[in-house]
Amino acid sequence: MAEVLVYVDHVDGAVRKPTLELLTLARRLGDPVALALGAGAENTAGVLAEHGAVKVLTSDAPEYADFLVVPKVDALQAAHELVSPVAVLVPSSAEGKEIAARLAVRIESGIITDAVDLEAGTEGPVATQAAFAASFTTKSRITKGTPVITVKPNSAPVEAAPAAGAVEALAVSFSDTATGTKVLSRTPRESTGRPELTEAAIVVSGGRGVNGAENFAIIEALADSLGAAVGASRAAVDAGWYPHSNQVGQTGKSVSPQLYIANGISGAIQHRAGMQTSKTIVAVNKDAEAPIFDLVDYGIVGDLFQVVPQLTDEVNTRKG
Amino acid sequence: MSLRIVVCVKYVPDATGDRHFADDLTVDRDDVDGLLSELDEYAVEQALQIADEADDAEITVLTVGGEDAKDALRKALSMGADKAVHVEDDDLHGSDVMATSLVLAKAVEKTGYDLVICGMASTDGTMAVLPAILAERLNIPQVTLLSEVKVEDGTVTGRRDGDSASEQLQASLPALVSVTDQSGEARYPSFKGIMAAKKKPVESLDLEDLELEAGEVGLAGSWTQVDSATQRPARTAGTIVKDEGEGGKQLAEYLASQKFI
């Protein structure tokens, strides 16, 4: 059967959920061969095998951490030459998209980014994407080379499908440009203990109406009662109330959770671009005319400082 | 020695307009007003700040697009860029990111550069891959998604705020930089800037000038094909309740009915 190359996103061997989702989609196209790079790469093999990887290619070298993007492209290119896959799938993170982009140029292949679904077609994989702030759905395919496709988190269920997952070391020779961009220092983001914004099943967001950094505690309390990630609108981020890494919208993260709760967010097109594909949308806003109410499944016109704590208490009570 | 900066910008349909696809499934650029992509304004701003710090610098703003795309160049010139290059050719219609990046790479090389600056993504396609593709085509380092950037002694340094870490990056020129919306508010053109822009040179290039064939660009030279584009049905109106003191409890009831709690 044809093989599909899947780029693994992991932290010291702990595979992140979007990669397991990719394995579900990859199995629709062929046998997944996973590529894991850097420290802990070999430790990914167990979980990748449980989710359908017939083979796990690994490579560790200081270059992957010390220089930006290109060493990983060199490795992906080496894996592509070894496997001759029918498609290359990469998680749609900022770095994942850059790795996929440079690979596509090198192997003279078309690229599709941010697919939300993938199916086998008679002329290769067909990717579903959301366009224009998710007001359109497109179906596209790649007409030249090996399809290189990046897939957004939450696009497929994680399914167990045990396979051999034999570990094989991949030989990688680094290109001249591999050492072009040095990583001088890396400061890990402090963990909040909450789920990753783009991967979370529930996202609770705050906007201009939260009216101050200290008031985000109300939003965080609701998020914690629901086991949710915290998001923020650009207005809240620009005001310095919440970190940019939590920004939902066109210039921040694009999220597609099962439930999105927007608090004090008017719903400008730039924000909608980042959350409109959420399955269920709930909003709390004191302005009954706010455009966010055009999107909601359930909306409360009211003061978030009243409604949100009451909701949090109620959720905590019901959880008992 | 003069620092040659090329800023790649895109003329995009206004996101607040009713954007849609044309019959050939390319982006309809006629029915919605266009403008300089907001994310490219940050790239122009950083170019201006880098040029201010340099002894001698020249900023060229470059775009690929139809006649209207000149508006994007004018905006960048009125912000303070020195000159503009407009690549326009009927055969470019429908170019995907691979074809567009090929044209940009040729035009950047023809213009001459030490530093290429891009916005993090376009506000229409929102792929966020063009900067990496362009760096690969030009065979230069990418220093991308920066929220802070500095150029000194032939070296570019910057801060990249990623999902799990914040990184300090460094590369030697020539290099390609892309900047995020966190890099610093873009300036508004002054009246003087707007008047001065009218006199600044705009060079027009076509495919022949760039030694490209029609088949390498446009729909023919694109490596992706859109087979269908369907408008999502508008969300059906949900339940909207005015809070009379029990709003939080009512919302909890709704979330419970949907099995979220």
Side-chain angles (χ1 to χ4, degrees), chain A residues 31-85:
Chain A
D31 288 331
V33 174
L35 171 67
L37 303 175
E42 285 186 17
N43 300 337
T44 63
V47 70
L48 295 171
E50 279 169 36
H51 293 87
V54 297
K55 197 189 290 180
V56 179
L57 303 172
T58 62
S59 168
D60 190 12
E63 279 83 352
Y64 298 124
D66 295 350
F67 300 94
L68 190 73
V69 173
V70 183
K72 293 171 179 168
V73 181
D74 291 340
L76 192 50
Q77 185 178 16
H80 177 265
E81 275 167 28
L82 182 73
V83 175
S84 300

Side-chain angles (χ1 to χ4, degrees), chain A residues 134 141 184 234 278 310 318, chain B residues 42 227 232 235 248 253:
Chain A
R141 61 197 161 82
L184 299 177
R234 181 159 172 195
S278 303
Q310 191 180 66
R318 282 171 187 252
Chain B
Y42 297 97
D227 286 334
R232 287 168 84 99
R235 278 182 172 264
E253 191 56 46

Side-chain angles (χ1 to χ4, degrees), chain A residues 215-235:
Chain A
N215 298 336
F216 258 86
I218 297 171
I219 305 298
E220 290 177 335
L222 175 58
D224 291 344
S225 74
L226 292 163
V230 176
S233 73
R234 181 159 172 195

Side-chain angles (χ1 to χ4, degrees), chain A residues 33-270:
Chain A
V33 174
L35 171 67
L37 303 175
E42 285 186 17
N43 300 337
T44 63
V47 70
L48 295 171
E50 279 169 36
H51 293 87
V54 297
K55 197 189 290 180
V56 179
L57 303 172
T58 62
S59 168
D60 190 12
E63 279 83 352
Y64 298 124
D66 295 350
F67 300 94
L68 190 73
V69 173
V70 183
K72 293 171 179 168
V73 181
D74 291 340
L76 192 50
Q77 185 178 16
H80 177 265
E81 275 167 28
L82 182 73
V83 175
S84 300
V86 292
V88 180
L89 306 185
V90 182
S92 259
S93 62
E95 186 189 47
K97 289 207 271 191
E98 292 187 330
I99 293 168
R102 295 189 75 129
L103 175 78
V105 176
R106 289 196 190 174
I107 64 174
E108 298 193 11
S109 294
I111 180 169
I112 287 173
T113 57
D114 295 324
V116 295
D117 199 8
L118 210 52
E119 58 206 334
T122 50
E123 294 165 278
V126 176
T128 304
Q129 294 164 285
F132 298 150
S135 57
F136 278 80
T137 299
T138 63
K139 286 192 187 288
S140 306
R141 61 197 161 82
I142 282 159
T143 53
K144 183 165 191 291
T146 309
V148 177
I149 300 171
T150 78
V151 179
K152 281 176 69 166
N154 290 328
S155 295
V158 173
E159 289 168 0
V167 179
E168 191 179 307
L170 176 72
V172 179
S173 54
F174 292 111
S175 62
D176 294 343
T177 50
T179 55
T181 308
K182 277 185 221 147
V183 178
L184 299 177
S185 68
R186 179 176 289 120
T187 314
R189 194 172 297 290
E190 261 179 56
S191 172
T192 59
R194 298 191 181 95
E196 263 308 305
L197 184 55
T198 52
E199 300 168 15
I202 303 179
V203 174
V204 177
S205 282
R208 198 186 299 276
V210 174
N211 201 23
E214 65 285 359
N215 298 336
F216 258 86
I218 297 171
I219 305 298
E220 290 177 335
L222 175 58
D224 291 344
S225 74
L226 292 163
V230 176
S233 73
R234 181 159 172 195
V237 169
D238 282 354
W241 301 342
Y242 222 69
H244 178 244
S245 52
N246 295 70
Q247 186 181 316
V248 172
Q250 188 165 58
T251 61
K253 303 254 164 65
S254 166
V255 300
S256 200
Q258 296 297 319
L259 171 63
Y260 188 84
I261 306 181
N263 301 286
I265 292 175
S266 66
I269 184 76
Q270 288 81 359

